[in-house]
Amino acid sequence: MGGLWADLADLVLPAGCAGCRERRPGLRHGVCPACVTALSQLRPRAVRPTPAPPGLPSCVALGSYAGPLREALLAYKEHGRHGLARPLGALLAEVVAAAVGEPRPLALVPVPDTAAAARSRYGDHLDRLARHCAVRLNRGGWAARVHRPLRALPRPDSVTLDSAGRAAAAEAAFQPRSAGPLRGGAAGPAPVVVLLDDIVTTGVTLAAASGVLSATGWAPTVAAVLAATEKRHQS
């Protein structure tokens, strides 16, 4: 898994740092040195929303949805900085490795974008991350493949929904593709299924995706995400 942070130095910025948005003369890195330092100090950890929705698998995140990690994700997803897919995918590989524990055959299943979201982002953003994640894991001695057994269905804008409405929309958000149950090869057992997403907030999306996967023979062992938000409740 070595060489992770070298990926961040391979990017040539048209603007400023993806982590802090600072514009500096002659800056030729995807993330400035200060933000690289901040990101390098993050360590994957188990996270769980409170309350956790039924069916949510155990979940591991690189860090909180804040600071340079949040800014880099926003730059990648919402501002067209697609070159960040490789370093962010490498970070996601670190989370997967921490979540699973030791090199084993892996089936990486990214939560799919809706068709509308993929069009607005010029491609499925998580699919790109998953492919770079698999490359990094394979270079580190894992046997990882990306699978796409889920299809995302159109759903209403979550901004217009309350928490109950968002949960209901999430439950109806996915359907299985025409793939059979996951099976092992002649050389060994079935691979560990790892559900991938970029951010976990309430956990309803991961729980819904996990439910559809489990019903079709693709039950996830764990979910790996880059960032976790903290849901705050008023007393």
Side-chain angles (χ1 to χ4, degrees):
M1 304 298 289
L4 171 63
W5 300 110
D7 286 339
L8 296 173
D10 289 342
L11 304 175
V12 178
L13 285 184
C17 169
C20 64
R21 303 188 184 183
E22 287 287 333
R23 299 176 68 93
R24 300 179 183 178
L27 181 66
R28 297 181 62 81
H29 301 282
V31 179
C32 74
C35 288
V36 168
T37 298
L39 290 170
S40 68
Q41 293 173 347
L42 298 175
R43 295 293 181 268
R45 59 185 175 86
V47 297
R48 195 130 189 111
T50 303
L56 178 67
S58 61
C59 186
V60 176
L62 179 67
S64 297
Y65 186 55
L69 183 58
R70 176 183 183 274
E71 294 301 322
L73 281 169
L74 286 173
Y76 170 61
K77 288 177 61 176
E78 308 301 340
H79 304 302
R81 297 282 292 276
H82 293 165
L84 290 166
R86 183 170 68 171
L88 288 175
L91 287 172
L92 190 56
E94 294 287 337
V95 181
V96 172
V100 177
E102 60 184 24
R104 301 172 61 184
L106 301 176
L108 305 178
V109 179
V111 172
D113 271 342
T114 63
R119 285 193 299 270
S120 69
R121 294 168 177 157
Y122 298 96
D124 188 314
H125 78 288
L126 202 64
D127 184 70
R128 282 193 297 264
L129 292 185
R131 286 186 277 111
H132 286 290
C133 175
V135 168
R136 176 67 62 166
L137 287 165
N138 286 321
R139 287 177 180 171
W142 300 68
R145 290 185 57 193
V146 179
H147 298 262
R148 301 170 185 83
L150 291 177
R151 177 182 289 109
L153 302 176
R155 53 185 181 267
D157 189 342
S158 62
V159 174
T160 66
L161 303 175
D162 59 15
S163 58
R166 286 192 292 270
E171 289 178 2
F174 305 106
Q175 69 179 21
R177 295 182 184 272
S178 56
L182 185 63
R183 303 183 186 279
V192 174
V193 178
V194 182
L195 186 59
L196 304 180
D197 208 350
D198 52 356
I199 304 165
V200 58
T201 301
T202 64
V204 294
T205 297
L206 288 173
S210 179
V212 175
L213 289 170
S214 297
T216 55
W218 288 72
T221 297
V222 68
V225 303
L226 285 170
T229 64
E230 294 184 6
K231 186 176 181 181
R232 303 182 186 278
H233 298 276
Q234 294 182 349
S235 58

